[in-house]
Amino acid sequence: IALTGGNDCLWRTWGFPDGNILMTGEGHTDWLSGCCFSPSGTQLVTSSADSTVRIWDMSRHGCLLTLRGHSRAARSCCWHSSGHFVASACVDGTSKIWDLTSERCRHTLRGHKESVNSIEFLPFSSTVLTSSADKTLTLWDARTVRRL
């Protein structure tokens, strides 16, 4: 199964080898910039130019949670290996660590001078890697919000 998001504001899952659409999700109001399956594979996270990050339940085919807090387009998103946190990157030069248990932003990462275009948790750690249009990569400790 592959997951894609597009300019039509929809995410889709695709079955292989046939390439048929298995599921489609709608709810964002602007193009999707990122999408990622949860570690368990039962949920997914999407980021959008509508400045939101959404958590979707695959079995219910619907949005469980809309995370608001970015001031501009959210460019990228990813899951922590525990499944309890997601991270998102924003055009405004910040990134956010979201706590799914409390349904709120736990930390905002500040330090890039331009758009943060991608974000990833390193596997089985609290380290986050961001890349920016300012031509820098930064490693962060997501627990303390300090650069490494």
Side-chain angles (χ1 to χ4, degrees):
I1 295 177
L3 173 63
T4 62
N7 288 341
D8 59 2
C9 309
L10 303 174
W11 58 263
R12 291 178 177 83
T13 58
W14 303 80
F16 285 95
D18 298 330
N20 54 324
I21 297 173
L22 303 175
M23 197 178 305
T24 301
E26 61 181 79
H28 283 291
T29 59
D30 209 336
W31 52 272
L32 269 68
S33 54
C35 49
C36 182
F37 283 109
S38 67
S40 68
T42 60
Q43 296 177 334
L44 58 96
V45 61
T46 57
S47 55
S48 170
D50 68 11
S51 77
T52 66
V53 175
R54 292 181 182 241
I55 307 298
W56 305 84
D57 184 289
M58 300 298 289
S59 64
R60 290 194 217 155
H61 304 257
C63 180
L64 291 175
L65 179 62
T66 300
L67 301 167
R68 301 181 197 294
H70 285 298
S71 64
R72 296 181 56 203
R75 295 280 298 160
S76 177
C77 57
C78 67
W79 286 89
H80 184 268
S81 55
S82 71
H84 299 293
F85 301 95
V86 296
S88 56
C90 185
V91 171
D92 69 5
T94 67
S95 299
K96 294 190 179 290
I97 308 296
W98 304 91
D99 182 334
L100 299 182
T101 303
S102 66
E103 300 182 359
R104 66 179 184 82
C105 176
R106 172 155 300 172
H107 299 296
T108 299
L109 310 175
R110 291 180 173 85
H112 287 292
K113 292 177 176 42
E114 294 184 33
S115 173
V116 182
N117 296 328
S118 67
I119 190 164
E120 286 293 331
F121 279 103
L122 274 61
F124 308 105
S125 77
S126 61
T127 303
V128 177
L129 174 66
T130 55
S131 67
S132 172
D134 65 15
K135 300 180 179 145
T136 64
L137 299 172
T138 302
L139 287 170
W140 307 83
D141 183 329
R143 296 170 299 183
T144 63
V145 196
R146 291 190 351 214
R147 291 178 184 218
L148 299 176

